[in-house]
Amino acid sequence: MTSTMLLALRPAGAQAVPGASFRLLPREGLDVAFVRSSESMGGAIAEEDRLWPQQMRRAVRAGLSRWNRPDITEAAELLVTELVTNALRHGRGDVRVRVHLATGRVLIEVQDGSHEVAVPRNATPVDEDGRGLLLVTAIADDWGVSPDGTTTWCSLLLRDGTTA
């Protein structure tokens, strides 16, 4: 996938802004940064930002296909969706998504500019949200938050013995 193709992943209506970048490096990983709408804050996601999780799923699917990792594609798509949605809902400033192969695993990192540490909630049956990190906990082999709170990450083990 070329960087031109990645630019085509930008959601319709999303502004092309200086500093936004989309890169897929064949063996190194996916690195996408985008500017959130100023209306995505305080738990709300602006209409123009609602397509970012879907676009990141497409980018992750393309990267994992290129890396010949169909075995973890579905899980990775769900994980990146949850982390990007959380970043849009609770973060501040630009969002950066990195997906890369590490020794024996795929690492997904989402940076959102907020120093508030992500913590799983106990959503009630009537809550419409609040289950994202519970899904991450259930699906990922490991997950955590950077010491400064700005990056939430998770990893999936490469179970067939393949290493990066």
Side-chain angles (χ1 to χ4, degrees):
M1 179 177 284
T2 67
S3 58
T4 303
M5 290 171 71
L6 282 170
L7 287 172
L9 295 173
R10 181 175 37 241
Q15 295 181 356
V17 292
S21 64
F22 299 75
R23 297 184 311 151
L24 178 61
L25 306 173
R27 286 295 298 165
E28 296 170 34
L30 168 72
D31 189 1
V32 178
F34 60 90
V35 177
R36 84 176 64 242
S37 166
S38 61
E39 295 176 28
S40 288
M41 63 175 68
I45 301 176
E47 191 63 36
E48 65 194 71
D49 286 341
R50 291 186 182 275
L51 291 176
W52 280 116
Q54 175 186 358
Q55 301 306 318
M56 293 302 95
R57 279 195 310 271
R58 288 176 53 201
V60 166
R61 186 180 322 120
L64 291 172
S65 174
R66 186 167 182 105
W67 299 329
N68 197 27
R69 297 308 315 197
D71 54 315
I72 60 170
T73 299
E74 192 172 305
E77 286 178 331
L78 180 57
L79 291 167
V80 79
T81 299
E82 294 302 331
L83 295 182
V84 169
T85 299
N86 281 351
L88 288 167
R89 191 176 303 274
H90 304 292
R92 296 185 190 102
D94 298 353
V95 176
R96 182 176 183 189
V97 179
R98 292 186 65 228
V99 180
H100 56 98
L101 296 168
T103 303
R105 63 190 175 133
V106 169
L107 185 61
I108 300 168
E109 302 169 311
V110 178
Q111 184 177 26
D112 66 11
S114 173
H115 292 283
E116 188 176 321
V117 175
V119 178
R121 284 185 23 195
N122 288 321
T124 69
V126 296
D127 287 337
E128 292 184 19
D129 57 15
R131 295 171 184 81
L133 287 177
L134 293 175
L135 286 171
V136 171
T137 300
I139 295 167
D141 291 300
D142 197 10
W143 80 278
V145 180
S146 64
D148 67 357
T150 63
T151 303
T152 304
W153 60 269
C154 62
S155 65
L156 293 167
L157 294 177
L158 301 177
R159 302 204 190 279
D160 66 358
T162 304
T163 58

